[in-house]
Amino acid sequence: MPFFGLDCTRRKEKEVERKIRANDREYNLSFKYATNAIKTSKYNLFTFLPLNLFEQFQRIANAYFLFLLILQVIPAISSLSWFTTVVPLVLVLSVTAAKDAIDDINRHRSDRQVNNRKVDMLINGKLISEKWMNVQVGDIIKLENNEFVTADLLLLSSSEPLNLVYIETAELDGETNLKVKQSLTVTGDMGENLEALAAFNGEVCCEPPNNRLDRFTGTLTSGTQKHSLDNERILLRGCTLRNTDWCFGMVLFAGPETKLMQNCGKSIFKRTSIDRLMNVLVLFIFGLLALMCIILAVGHGIWEYQEGSKFTAFLPREESIAFSAFLTFWSYIIILNTVVPISLYVSMEVIRLGNSYYINWDRNMYHARTNTPAEARTTTLNEELGQIKYIFSDKTGTLTQNIMTFNKCSINGKSYGDVIDCCSGQRLEITEDMTPVDFSFNWLADPKFLFYDHSLVEAVNLELPEVHAFFRLLALCHTVMAEEKKEGDLVYQAQSPDEGALVTAARNFGFVFRSRSPETVTIEEMGIQRSYELLAILDFNNVRKRMSVIVRNPEGKLSLYCKGADTIIYERLHPSCSKLKEVTTDHLNEFAGEGLRTLVLAYKDLDEEYFAEWKQRHHEASVALDDREENLDKLYEEIEKDMLLIGATAIEDKLQDGVAHTIELLAKAEIMIWVLTGDKQETAENIGYSCNLLREEMNEVFIIAANSPEEVRQELRDAHLKMCPATEQDKFLIPETILGNTPKVVQDENVSGEYGLVINGQSLAFALESSMELEFLRTACMCKTVICCRVTPLQKAQVVELVKKYKKAVTLAIGDGANDVSMIKAHIGVGISGQEGMQAVLSSDFSFAQFRFLQRLLLVHGRWSYLRMCKFLRYFFYKNFTFTFVHFWYAFFCGFSAQTVYDEGFITLYNLVYTALPVLGMSLFDQDVNAGWSLEFPQLYVPGQLRMYFSKGAFMMCALHSCYSSLVLFFIPYAATYDTARDNGRDGADYQSFALITQTCLTVTVCVQLGLDLSYWTVVNHLFVWGSLGMFFILTFTMYTDGLFRLHPPSFAFIGTARNCLNQSNVWLTVTLTTVLCVLPVVAQRFLHSQTSPTINDKVRYKVRQMKEPAPRPRHAKLSRRSTRRSGYAFSHAQGYGDLVTSRRFLRRPAPARSTGFTPTGRSPGFKPMGRSAGYSPVGQEQNHKQKVEPTSLQMFRAVKDPSF
């Protein structure tokens, strides 16, 4: 393990091929593979101090103050005590180090928690409980139900039939539906025989560690036989074992070499754009400081040459004029160092900390149902929240709840699901206050199922044949598994949530899917149990976009039931369905307009002779070695034609509350939203339309789904030309030079109209290649919305990094799963404490429970934080530049002697007491408009993206303003006191009186300037501003008293100055005149600017004042979505359980008998069918990965020997 690194592996040559021998640690150790210990922390006990100081001194100002400290210990050049620098420097370093230490301690705790988890490991033929960190490559371990997978394993055997295991991959790809893995027969036969497992010495030869989650290649050599290994045999770290009693696996990759950790990337040190700008400005200030000191040193040399020689008789000097000028240069470096005071950085940390607490305390971002408050997990990035231009969002669990609801349907030309007012005939909006249909009559009904249209229940009760055929199709045409552990308690296990929602709907309307075997599907129709012979499953894939089943009912009738995308089904309907198709199409348009996902249902009765002949050809095609898929597709096309239309379903993929409204507000704030999801294209597109990311009003939505780099490049260029026809190919890059680096920046291009871009994972892999990445970025940035589908965690990180690298914009990534951790390495990472674990939250900068809170985080807290920080910097530079420049002008009147114009006590207290609290009050409490108006006018956010509040230009204006003010502050008091007398006739033009008048003018001026900058006066602001002015006069009179002078004369030399000077009327006139002259240009400029070219802030504040109304309450309006998009077939990208269902390698365990003496032909007692589905989740319960999942009926099947295999 490297001493300073984050990697747990030893430095070794890059692997080309990995060789592992089971149960042979000595052999495997020779390759120096990584252990299973992980390390995400940055420091340890020995490296914390040097590494942390090294990081802190990368901040130029910290290094500058260290340099000043060294200068101040040299007596020949120092006119200030060394402790004036060392105390604030140590304070800043200590506070920052303490904060970093706390963050890293939390990482250590997380690492220890994971590394100390226990797992059963096979050692010398016995299962011994060991810590995860002690597991090594080649070890055989045992996992039990609901346990996390310890490392990347080769599945050896399991408790389930056919050596299957069920895993949940939410931590990897965000999907909560279960996946099936299967071991090789040669290892599966070992079962849980510990002797056989301990004697197993198979050798695996496989690919080296990589981040590809969807691919694995390798071979297993056992004895004399070599077996091929693919991804179906591998269990990845981060998965959870579900519905499987136990399994054994052999460790292939451990710790940092696992695919999960390979996708996480390295932890990075995040800096805000203001921090980066500050580094540039500090360099400029250093240059300005050096220039001023050179001018004053040269002036000292000239003065010494012309005037100083006259005093050598009284003040003999040994050093030469040149050496004296050299010492003066360093003396002025110390005196003028307040141009960059260290209190600036202390104040910035306090402001960030305060604004972080505002986020933590915000009750409007508290989620009561889960008792989850918002949390600012870092205190250094608050103002960055006010500059976001690009948001990268996960889909599952972030935008959606991953819960499907059966909302509406169309059966035989009639639409169901709407609630109609019986008096007016108008459609009513369904609310939680409405009473749903009571399904208590149905003992098999899902208690979470909700439906409000009683007419559908009545149609079922009237036994209308079309309605019964509709729900019979839903109960038969699927690959769902049913588990009934106790009577009436059905749990459905579906490969996709859509299928589960449809089967659940049929269940509640009286057509209950009970169980299946390879040959049969058993359902309960209106209380009567019927068993259908399952003859074929024509499974779904992305090309077919439909699935069919061929069944024989108990009466012997052959039927084909099909469901799929409307465009696909319509092409295969019988001509007699034309009128019904028109009506159904109208219903589909209506459903799609509400953002629902639709399917069309059709059926066909089959002839026995034809089916027997077709089945023979199907068998021949299925066993063919060549062109198997093509031949099967032709057979499917042949039988799936001339079908009769039954109707259509409409399912809602439930968005999180307020998602659409949040996206609408963010779009008005000119924030671009990119969705990066592991889901397939169809699903992601539907969500895009549901939450108004994609809209029918867009000019075009480009689909990039090519299979080669050339095709991807051509599709990107075609899309670009459509959006911007007159574009020169070489004019999209502009040089941007910062601190010597010359990264390229992709320039924003003007596009007429709105466009969307959807790209799949394969095409994205080509688009992210170095030769094409700029072309992809250029095209994508011209689109209003970008959706990337089927992307890996690493691709998410690459997309984020691409935008960070080539766009001069601040990015934010938001997600809720471990698969989002690498993406969260954006400028800002936000974790949703949702249903996919806490990995994203632990890696994030900010966290909360719901996506809708993002609007408040950015448009309120982010905008305020950025506005306050920018006001703080402008004001802080102004007051300190003004303070310092007065020293510069005074040097020309004191013989360049490095004498200070102010009293030493004033110099010490100026930044610590007199001006510290007012600026902090402004930076913690100021707001141009309140939270309600900030959300009402999201356009207020745009200036932050354009960096209008603080930039190099704003800094230069601040410096010029300070230069003007310092001239006024020096020469007006100078002229007013020159050759004047007090009321008692004594001379009033002494140094001490001039210093006090200048100090008073400066303090009053900066306080008045702050009052002009404040937009929102609070009691605290009044207290801080007036209190600081009062403190100035109190301390001034106190320090200039006789008593303190007697205690320590050198430190309190201004004895009596305040009493003698501030009682003169001309002094107060001077203070008033100086203050007015300093702020007059600011007032004039702001007035003229607001009248001639007002900013968005000016317009909104004027409008708010005119309305004279309280801030509006947050709106949660339901957006009206209109779309002609209907094809919403969002089944799993994989082919589901179709092959396993019909494999005939296992038998069905009968469903438990009912205690009421149920007979297959009897009607259930008390069954009275009467009709929106509650959330259906893929595991049949609340989406919480920590809950136990009941086994499915597939796991109740037991393998038998079949002579056909």
Side-chain angles (χ1 to χ4, degrees):
M1 184 186 297
F3 195 62
F4 291 97
L6 302 179
D7 192 356
C8 294
T9 59
R10 299 174 184 173
R11 297 296 179 188
K12 60 179 188 292
E13 294 182 4
K14 185 177 180 181
E15 280 188 61
V16 178
E17 186 179 65
R18 172 159 291 207
K19 293 183 179 180
I20 310 159
R21 189 177 296 163
N23 294 311
D24 192 344
R25 277 199 171 188
E26 185 178 352
Y27 173 81
N28 297 324
L29 284 173
S30 65
F31 295 99
K32 299 180 180 179
Y33 297 139
T35 66
N36 203 43
I38 63 167
K39 181 174 181 289
T40 60
S41 55
K42 297 169 64 176
Y43 315 109
N44 60 37
L45 193 61
F46 302 104
T47 63
F48 172 74
L49 195 59
L51 276 181
N52 188 261
L53 288 176
F54 174 75
E55 283 184 353
Q56 291 202 60
F57 281 116
Q58 289 184 53
R59 181 178 280 175
I60 296 175
N62 286 345
Y64 164 66
F65 290 116
L66 179 64
F67 174 67
L68 276 183
L69 178 61
I70 296 171
L71 289 181
Q72 283 184 295
V73 299
I74 304 174
I77 60 175
S78 177
S79 56
L80 294 174
S81 302
W82 60 271
F83 59 82
T84 58
T85 298
V86 74
V87 172
L89 178 61
V90 170
L91 178 64
V92 171
L93 296 177
S94 300
V95 169
T96 306
K99 181 173 64 67
D100 292 342
I102 292 172
D103 291 343
D104 208 57
I105 287 171
N106 291 332
R107 294 191 196 99
H108 274 285
R109 286 175 180 166
S110 177
D111 290 345
R112 280 197 301 270
Q113 182 183 1
V114 173
N115 290 332
N116 290 328
R117 286 175 180 168
K118 293 297 184 71
V119 67
D120 290 334
M121 189 160 63
L122 188 62
I123 300 177
N124 297 326
K126 296 180 180 180
L127 284 175
I128 299 176
S129 181
E130 275 284 359
K131 295 179 180 179
W132 277 27
M133 61 190 297
N134 297 329
V135 173
Q136 296 187 14
V137 171
D139 291 345
I140 293 178
I141 61 177
K142 180 184 180 181
L143 299 176
E144 295 183 348
N145 194 29
N146 295 315
E147 286 188 349
F148 286 106
V149 178
T150 309
D152 290 355
L153 308 177
L154 168 64
L155 178 61
L156 298 178
S157 62
S158 83
S159 60
E160 303 308 304
L162 305 178
N163 292 302
L164 300 176
V165 298
Y166 300 86
I167 59 170
E168 183 182 289
T169 60
E171 301 292 346
L172 291 175
D173 56 18
E175 296 183 3
T176 50
N177 49 295
L178 301 191
K179 310 293 193 303
V180 181
K181 301 287 186 178
Q182 187 175 25
S183 72
L184 293 170
T185 304
V186 65
T187 60
D189 291 342
M190 293 187 291
E192 56 181 337
N193 186 334
L194 298 184
E195 292 182 2
L197 287 165
F200 178 64
N201 63 351
E203 187 169 323
V204 173
C205 183
C206 66
E207 61 187 18
N210 60 76
N211 51 46
R212 288 293 299 268
L213 297 174
D214 58 344
R215 188 182 69 183
F216 178 84
T217 56
T219 58
L220 169 66
T221 304
S222 179
T224 58
Q225 293 186 336
K226 182 179 287 189
H227 307 272
S228 175
L229 300 177
D230 57 21
N231 208 42
E232 296 305 309
R233 319 292 181 195
I234 306 300
L235 305 183
L236 299 181
R237 178 176 179 142
C239 299
T240 307
L241 195 67
R242 298 293 194 199
N243 297 353
T244 306
D245 292 338
W246 53 262
C247 74
F248 284 88
M250 170 182 159
V251 179
L252 301 181
F253 303 110
E257 294 179 345
T258 58
K259 291 182 182 284
L260 174 66
M261 298 301 293
Q262 291 281 314
N263 272 283
C264 285
K266 296 181 179 179
S267 59
I268 58 173
F269 181 62
K270 294 184 178 181
R271 296 180 184 275
T272 66
S273 56
I274 283 185
D275 278 336
R276 292 190 292 271
L277 177 60
M278 285 292 294
N279 275 346
V280 177
L281 296 181
V282 167
L283 285 178
F284 170 80
I285 293 171
F286 289 163
L288 178 63
L289 175 62
L291 178 63
M292 289 193 297
C293 292
I294 289 172
I295 292 172
L296 297 179
V298 171
H300 174 82
I302 296 174
W303 190 91
E304 282 288 342
Y305 178 76
Q306 294 181 348
E307 305 291 337
S309 57
K310 301 175 184 177
F311 298 93
T312 53
F314 308 100
L315 296 171
R317 299 178 185 177
E318 298 179 0
E319 67 269 10
S320 64
I321 293 177
F323 187 68
S324 178
F326 174 76
L327 294 178
T328 301
F329 172 84
W330 295 110
S331 296
Y332 272 113
I333 286 284
I334 296 172
I335 290 174
L336 302 181
N337 80 81
T338 49
V339 77
V340 188
I342 197 166
S343 59
L344 170 69
Y345 291 96
V346 178
S347 301
M348 287 176 71
E349 294 299 323
V350 172
I351 293 166
R352 287 167 172 165
L353 182 64
N355 285 314
S356 297
Y357 278 117
Y358 289 155
I359 295 172
N360 297 343
W361 294 338
D362 192 341
R363 292 184 177 181
N364 291 312
M365 295 173 68
Y366 170 73
H367 194 236
R369 186 163 57 84
T370 58
N371 191 27
T372 307
E375 181 183 6
R377 297 175 55 81
T378 179
T379 60
T380 59
L381 302 172
N382 303 78
E383 67 271 13
E384 200 89 323
L385 291 170
Q387 299 178 267
I388 303 298
K389 181 64 177 177
Y390 290 90
I391 292 178
F392 302 94
S393 175
D394 180 37
K395 182 193 75 67
T396 306
T398 303
L399 297 178
T400 70
Q401 302 177 35
N402 200 30
I403 297 175
M404 306 295 178
T405 60
F406 180 85
N407 271 21
K408 298 181 180 181
C409 62
S410 172
I411 305 176
N412 196 33
K414 183 175 180 181
S415 176
Y416 297 94
D418 291 321
V419 178
I420 307 298
D421 190 324
C422 59
C423 298
S424 65
Q426 297 295 317
R427 184 171 65 179
L428 301 177
E429 182 179 353
I430 295 176
T431 64
E432 294 180 357
D433 298 329
M434 287 186 175
T435 304
V437 172
D438 182 9
F439 284 103
S440 59
F441 63 86
N442 184 356
W443 74 290
L444 288 172
D446 184 348
K448 301 187 296 294
F449 186 94
L450 297 175
F451 203 81
Y452 298 87
D453 185 1
H454 289 261
S455 63
L456 181 56
V457 187
E458 294 169 1
V460 173
N461 201 28
L462 291 172
E463 299 189 358
L464 298 180
E466 296 85 0
V467 177
H468 279 211
F470 177 90
F471 287 112
R472 185 179 296 114
L473 186 152
L474 294 182
L476 291 170
C477 185
H478 56 78
T479 58
V480 173
M481 302 296 175
E483 167 64 14
E484 192 172 357
K485 296 201 71 173
K486 61 181 180 180
E487 185 182 1
D489 184 14
L490 279 170
V491 176
Y492 290 150
Q493 181 61 58
Q495 185 82 345
S496 108
D498 300 66
E499 281 208 302
L502 295 175
V503 176
T504 301
R507 166 185 174 180
N508 277 62
F509 284 103
F511 288 76
V512 185
F513 167 60
R514 297 295 298 271
S515 62
R516 69 161 73 246
S517 75
E519 300 88 7
T520 61
V521 177
T522 301
I523 67 174
E524 191 167 305
E525 298 182 5
M526 307 295 288
I528 301 175
Q529 186 158 310
R530 292 166 62 86
S531 185
Y532 288 77
E533 184 181 355
L534 181 60
L535 301 171
I537 293 180
L538 284 56
D539 213 349
F540 168 85
N541 64 39
N542 265 355
V543 177
R544 285 169 43 75
K545 295 188 183 296
R546 64 191 185 278
M547 78 161 291
S548 301
V549 295
I550 300 174
V551 297
R552 179 181 282 113
N553 69 10
E555 291 76 30
K557 184 178 179 182
L558 274 176
S559 299
L560 177 146
Y561 292 105
C562 182
K563 63 182 179 183
D566 58 338
T567 53
I568 302 296
I569 301 296
Y570 279 179
E571 295 172 356
R572 292 158 177 80
L573 293 179
H574 192 275
S576 63
C577 300
S578 56
K579 289 188 177 180
L580 178 57
K581 184 168 71 172
E582 291 178 6
V583 179
T584 305
T585 300
D586 291 338
H587 293 160
L588 287 169
N589 288 335
E590 182 182 342
F591 299 157
E594 299 174 19
L596 304 178
R597 300 147 66 94
T598 58
L599 289 176
V600 171
L601 313 183
Y603 79 102
K604 175 183 180 181
D605 292 329
L606 298 176
D607 178 70
E608 285 281 359
E609 293 183 5
Y610 167 74
F611 177 70
E613 184 266 338
W614 180 89
K615 187 176 182 181
Q616 178 61 33
R617 288 188 288 134
H618 178 268
H619 175 72
E620 294 172 358
S622 62
V623 298
L625 296 178
D626 299 325
D627 302 325
R628 180 185 302 175
E629 297 297 328
E630 292 81 356
N631 292 332
L632 286 175
D633 283 342
K634 289 178 182 178
L635 287 170
Y636 294 166
E637 287 285 343
E638 178 187 320
I639 201 168
E640 292 174 325
K641 65 181 181 182
D642 293 333
M643 295 185 290
L644 299 178
L645 179 63
I646 299 178
T649 63
I651 293 177
E652 180 183 5
D653 186 357
K654 286 187 73 69
L655 295 173
Q656 287 190 14
D657 295 338
V659 165
H661 181 59
T662 299
I663 288 174
E664 180 191 31
L665 287 180
L666 296 178
K668 288 181 179 178
E670 299 294 330
I671 297 174
M672 316 298 289
I673 301 178
W674 293 23
V675 176
L676 311 177
T677 176
D679 278 347
K680 69 181 195 310
Q681 179 179 320
E682 192 76 22
T683 307
E685 285 184 57
N686 275 289
I687 294 299
Y689 281 98
S690 296
C691 61
N692 274 10
L693 279 169
L694 300 175
R695 295 183 302 279
E696 192 67 21
E697 295 77 21
M698 283 184 166
N699 297 62
E700 188 170 350
V701 176
F702 302 108
I703 309 295
I704 310 296
N707 298 316
S708 68
E710 293 76 18
E711 293 175 355
V712 172
R713 188 187 301 274
Q714 189 58 48
E715 289 185 11
L716 289 172
R717 288 179 176 174
D718 292 344
H720 185 273
L721 288 174
K722 283 185 180 179
M723 290 185 285
C724 193
T727 304
E728 297 183 30
Q729 291 295 319
D730 300 327
K731 287 193 175 181
F732 69 99
L733 294 178
I734 57 174
E736 177 69 20
T737 304
I738 299 177
L739 295 181
N741 299 322
T742 56
K744 295 178 179 178
V745 176
V746 175
Q747 193 175 24
D748 290 331
E749 298 182 62
N750 294 324
V751 179
S752 57
E754 291 187 355
Y755 297 87
L757 178 70
V758 179
I759 183 169
N760 63 24
Q762 184 178 6
S763 299
L764 184 63
F766 296 131
L768 291 175
E769 292 177 356
S770 57
S771 60
M772 207 186 306
E773 60 180 11
L774 287 176
E775 196 151 6
F776 163 66
L777 181 62
R778 181 188 184 191
T779 303
C781 289
M782 296 170 70
C783 298
K784 193 73 174 177
T785 299
V786 178
I787 298 178
C788 302
C789 324
R790 282 293 173 193
V791 295
T792 66
L794 184 66
Q795 284 179 322
K796 290 184 178 184
Q798 288 174 333
V799 171
V800 173
E801 186 60 36
L802 180 65
V803 176
K804 285 175 62 179
K805 183 178 179 181
Y806 291 111
K807 295 294 291 185
K808 195 177 180 182
V810 181
T811 61
L812 178 146
I814 180 169
D816 70 326
N819 59 315
D820 303 315
V821 169
S822 56
M823 174 178 74
I824 285 176
K825 303 296 171 60
H827 292 110
I828 300 286
V830 176
I832 300 276
S833 49
Q835 304 180 12
E836 298 180 17
M838 296 294 289
Q839 280 74 11
V841 170
L842 293 174
S843 302
S844 66
D845 305 306
F846 302 89
S847 68
F848 41 70
Q850 294 278 293
F851 181 85
R852 70 175 186 270
F853 296 148
L854 186 62
Q855 60 173 286
R856 192 167 178 88
L857 182 71
L858 300 186
L859 303 183
V860 178
H861 293 288
R863 197 180 69 83
W864 281 352
S865 295
Y866 176 66
L867 181 64
R868 291 165 179 166
M869 183 61 74
C870 293
K871 277 191 172 184
F872 164 79
L873 291 173
R874 292 200 306 264
Y875 176 77
F876 209 96
F877 280 126
Y878 166 76
K879 74 182 184 68
N880 280 86
F881 280 9
T882 304
F883 174 89
T884 307
F885 287 165
V886 174
H887 277 299
F888 182 78
W889 308 126
Y890 180 67
F892 290 89
F893 294 84
C894 69
F896 306 96
S897 60
Q899 181 184 12
T900 58
V901 68
Y902 311 116
D903 170 31
E904 192 173 278
F906 179 79
I907 295 174
T908 304
L909 297 175
Y910 177 73
N911 279 313
L912 292 179
V913 178
Y914 301 151
T915 60
L917 289 181
V919 69
L920 279 179
M922 178 182 70
S923 306
L924 291 174
F925 301 106
D926 195 36
Q927 48 184 264
D928 51 351
V929 294
N930 60 29
W933 293 115
S934 295
L935 295 173
E936 185 74 11
F937 298 101
Q939 298 85 353
L940 287 167
Y941 191 81
V942 175
Q945 299 169 334
L946 302 177
R947 305 179 185 183
M948 294 174 60
Y949 296 142
F950 188 73
S951 60
K952 296 174 185 175
F955 172 79
M956 293 305 298
M957 291 300 298
C958 176
L960 291 174
H961 182 203
S962 298
C963 185
Y964 163 79
S965 296
S966 66
L967 285 168
V968 173
L969 284 167
F970 179 80
F971 285 104
I972 295 296
Y974 179 82
T977 57
Y978 184 78
D979 201 18
T980 59
R982 295 191 178 94
D983 293 342
N984 58 10
R986 295 187 177 183
D987 190 8
D990 62 282
Y991 161 72
Q992 292 185 347
S993 298
F994 171 74
L996 178 59
I997 294 172
T998 306
Q999 292 169 190
T1000 306
C1001 291
L1002 174 63
T1003 305
V1004 173
T1005 298
V1006 295
C1007 284
V1008 172
Q1009 180 65 47
L1010 182 131
L1012 292 175
D1013 287 344
L1014 264 175
S1015 303
Y1016 184 67
W1017 282 86
T1018 65
V1019 174
V1020 177
N1021 292 116
H1022 279 289
L1023 180 65
F1024 283 176
V1025 172
W1026 301 114
S1028 294
L1029 277 175
M1031 188 62 66
F1032 166 75
F1033 289 109
I1034 292 171
L1035 290 179
T1036 298
F1037 277 97
T1038 301
M1039 289 190 300
Y1040 294 175
T1041 58
D1042 302 349
L1044 288 178
F1045 174 78
R1046 292 191 182 99
L1047 287 175
H1048 197 262
S1051 298
F1052 303 100
F1054 281 45
I1055 178 173
T1057 304
R1059 184 173 63 251
N1060 294 330
C1061 183
L1062 296 180
N1063 62 358
Q1064 304 294 310
S1065 57
N1066 65 322
V1067 170
W1068 292 106
L1069 288 172
T1070 302
V1071 172
T1072 304
L1073 177 63
T1074 304
T1075 303
V1076 169
L1077 289 177
C1078 283
V1079 300
L1080 186 62
V1082 177
V1083 175
Q1085 185 268 340
R1086 291 182 183 177
F1087 174 77
L1088 292 174
H1089 196 271
S1090 64
Q1091 297 299 313
T1092 57
S1093 55
T1095 64
I1096 182 68
N1097 301 67
D1098 297 330
K1099 294 176 182 177
V1100 171
R1101 292 181 65 190
Y1102 177 77
K1103 186 172 183 179
V1104 170
R1105 286 196 299 269
Q1106 291 294 108
M1107 295 175 71
K1108 296 181 180 178
E1109 294 179 1
R1113 295 177 63 84
R1115 295 182 300 173
H1116 300 289
K1118 184 175 181 179
L1119 295 180
S1120 176
R1121 298 188 288 268
R1122 291 290 178 262
S1123 172
T1124 59
R1125 174 184 177 77
R1126 300 191 305 272
S1127 178
Y1129 201 72
F1131 281 15
S1132 170
H1133 186 75
Q1135 287 205 356
Y1137 297 138
D1139 293 338
L1140 284 173
V1141 167
T1142 57
S1143 66
R1144 301 178 184 273
R1145 293 181 62 184
F1146 45 84
L1147 294 177
R1148 174 176 61 92
R1149 176 182 292 179
R1154 206 179 306 172
S1155 61
T1156 55
F1158 170 81
T1159 58
T1161 58
R1163 185 177 291 273
S1164 298
F1167 187 93
K1168 298 177 183 178
M1170 292 211 150
R1172 213 174 277 261
S1173 165
Y1176 176 83
S1177 71
V1179 293
Q1181 56 182 324
E1182 293 297 326
Q1183 295 297 295
N1184 190 330
H1185 79 286
K1186 296 180 181 178
Q1187 292 181 348
K1188 294 186 178 179
V1189 182
E1190 299 296 329
T1192 69
S1193 61
L1194 177 60
Q1195 297 148 293
M1196 302 174 67
F1197 304 150
R1198 292 296 175 255
V1200 297
K1201 294 183 179 179
D1202 191 330
S1204 64
F1205 283 82

